[in-house]
Amino acid sequence: MSGAVYGLTGIMLVYAWCNYSYRPIKAKGLTWVSLIYLSAVLWYIGNIGANGHMWVTGAWTKCKIWVIWLRVLFCFVFATLNIARFYALDRVFNQKKPFTRRCSLVAGVVIIVFNVVYCLVNQLISDRLTVAFVASLEVCNVTQGFRIAALAIQWVMWAGCAVLIFRLRNIQSSFNEFRESVIIFAVIIALLTESTVTYIHFKYYTLQKVHRIEKTLMDTVASNLIVWLIIGYPVAMSIFRRQAYERQWIERLANDNNKTAYEITSNHAGTTYAKMRENSETAFNQSNLNFEGNETINSDYAENVEFIDPGSLRTNSTLQGEAHNEDNLPMALRTNLHIRRPMLNSPNMFSNAYPGLPPGGRRVL
């Protein structure tokens, strides 16, 4: 059953990669989501050996491999990858700093070093203090001290992550994952509570079929549910409402605080949203989202909206009467102004201001 669940999640991720150009999917950061899924799979493989689902003979007697280097390591990697993803969202949309490829590499190195060092220290500690094979019972025995230490680190990490998740509530609606993040946090807390009770109260749970199946099943459901919470909705929308949802997503993006990242023009063919120049000083460009420079999206709903002159730099959010803070916008994009771009064969703003040449034939601006 657990294998089928991981297989279904894997199929969903393959579909997502095949539709990587679909913007709502692309915005989720498929590389991070795939790494989270891969760590969940390796965590499950560790559970097979550590939770006593196989006869502990031959290679299975190498308990530290299954407990420390598979179950514990990739359980920690799963947690830290999720926390790093929350931090990336906070850095981009709250701190207004880019999360570039270099930042991703730094985060990856920190995750690897932290988790490998922790596992390496436990590998070097005596078996009687961490994990050891008990021949008489044919099980891998994990000491209470090792269990408590691992659980304490997880509780501390996720307690700190609660602060990040709380900060995500302020993200613009197109990229807001606050609701999903709260659900993910609730799933993790439920799993940690269940793990704490199982590891502390049922010391030899691996000898009890019901408890070892329940522990593995809880880990499986929680890890896969988190992946689905991150990427499942845009994948479903790409199947059932592909064009309508993408158009809605782009239109909402343009009306968010990120609206300065898009030029919005109108003509008889519809409304066009196009990425502005790379040197535009907008929050969107500062966030370093990797949309292609020449992408455009056409919307058919423009026929029902009265647009201002195409030469104006005002956005259609002005027509809808939306209240927003204009202090952070460039002067030319503030809606209380009506600055027009110079057009061919028409007077420009300077000729309107100076109808005639002053004495001496010179203009002073």
Side-chain angles (χ1 to χ4, degrees):
M1 179 180 175
S2 296
V5 174
Y6 282 102
L8 183 62
T9 305
I11 291 173
M12 178 191 66
L13 279 176
V14 170
Y15 175 85
W17 276 109
C18 292
N19 292 269
Y20 182 71
S21 60
Y22 189 65
R23 290 169 184 81
I25 291 178
K26 187 176 183 180
K28 292 293 183 178
L30 269 184
T31 301
W32 285 94
V33 179
S34 300
L35 290 174
I36 290 171
Y37 169 74
L38 180 60
S39 64
V41 172
L42 295 172
W43 176 14
Y44 169 68
I45 294 174
N47 273 338
I48 294 176
N51 288 343
H53 295 292
M54 303 291 294
W55 289 108
V56 184
T57 59
W60 296 99
T61 61
K62 308 296 183 182
C63 293
K64 281 194 171 181
I65 294 178
W66 305 107
V67 176
I68 296 178
W69 293 104
L70 281 173
R71 185 174 72 177
V72 173
L73 174 61
F74 288 102
C75 176
F76 275 45
V77 169
F78 181 87
T80 48
L81 283 172
N82 275 283
I83 294 172
R85 187 174 179 275
F86 291 140
Y87 172 74
L89 290 170
D90 177 73
R91 178 180 173 87
V92 169
F93 294 104
N94 289 329
Q95 301 178 36
K96 306 301 181 185
K97 297 178 182 179
F99 194 81
T100 60
R101 182 172 299 177
R102 180 179 179 182
C103 293
S104 298
L105 292 175
V106 171
V109 170
V110 171
I111 290 172
I112 292 172
V113 170
F114 170 77
N115 292 296
V116 169
V117 168
Y118 174 78
C119 292
L120 186 60
V121 169
N122 284 282
Q123 176 70 38
L124 297 176
I125 295 176
S126 173
D127 291 359
R128 64 184 180 84
L129 297 177
T130 54
V131 183
F133 172 65
V134 180
S136 60
L137 299 176
E138 293 186 344
V139 296
C140 291
N141 179 51
V142 181
T143 64
Q144 287 295 89
F146 180 83
R147 295 179 185 186
I148 293 173
L151 287 170
I153 292 174
Q154 287 274 355
W155 279 107
V156 170
M157 286 195 304
W158 284 102
C161 182
V163 178
L164 282 177
I165 292 175
F166 181 74
R167 286 173 55 86
L168 298 184
R169 75 194 189 283
N170 297 320
I171 293 179
Q172 298 92 334
S173 62
S174 298
F175 296 93
N176 190 299
E177 294 187 16
F178 180 64
R179 181 173 55 187
E180 295 89 337
S181 300
V182 169
I183 298 175
I184 289 173
F185 183 75
V187 170
I188 290 295
I189 294 302
L191 182 62
L192 278 175
T193 302
E194 181 272 337
S195 298
T196 302
V197 172
T198 300
Y199 291 148
I200 303 302
H201 185 68
F202 301 100
K203 184 177 180 180
Y204 296 105
Y205 76 93
T206 56
L207 298 176
Q208 302 170 346
K209 183 178 180 180
V210 173
H211 289 300
R212 66 172 179 257
I213 291 176
E214 175 264 338
K215 185 71 200 80
T216 304
L217 187 60
M218 285 289 292
D219 291 346
T220 298
V221 171
S223 58
N224 282 273
L225 180 59
I226 287 171
V227 177
W228 280 88
L229 285 169
I230 295 173
I231 198 69
Y233 186 74
V235 167
M237 290 297 99
S238 72
I239 297 174
F240 300 108
R241 297 182 59 237
R242 186 177 184 87
Q243 294 181 350
Y245 179 72
E246 185 178 40
R247 182 171 63 249
Q248 177 186 352
W249 189 87
I250 291 294
E251 289 169 356
R252 188 169 69 245
L253 177 69
N255 289 325
D256 287 341
N257 292 334
N258 284 326
K259 58 183 172 290
T260 55
Y262 285 88
E263 291 175 334
I264 305 178
T265 59
S266 61
N267 51 46
H268 66 278
T271 303
T272 299
Y273 299 86
K275 189 174 184 295
M276 293 177 69
R277 295 182 300 274
E278 291 298 327
N279 58 359
S280 299
E281 295 181 357
T282 67
F284 186 85
N285 284 327
Q286 292 172 3
S287 67
N288 198 44
L289 294 172
N290 295 319
F291 287 98
E292 285 78 1
N294 296 323
E295 285 183 343
T296 59
I297 294 294
N298 292 321
S299 171
D300 297 329
Y301 87 114
E303 298 177 358
N304 301 321
V305 180
E306 181 182 357
F307 287 95
I308 59 178
D309 186 86
S312 173
L313 292 178
R314 296 165 63 191
T315 66
N316 68 335
S317 61
T318 305
L319 299 177
Q320 299 170 359
E322 296 179 2
H324 54 271
N325 184 5
E326 296 183 345
D327 293 337
N328 296 326
L329 292 178
M331 181 65 71
L333 294 181
R334 297 186 183 181
T335 54
N336 59 343
L337 301 175
H338 197 71
I339 303 175
R340 297 177 180 274
R341 292 189 287 265
M343 296 183 178
L344 187 64
N345 297 328
S346 65
N348 58 36
M349 63 181 73
F350 300 116
S351 62
N352 288 336
Y354 300 94
L357 289 175
R362 294 184 299 172
R363 285 178 176 168
V364 180
L365 298 180

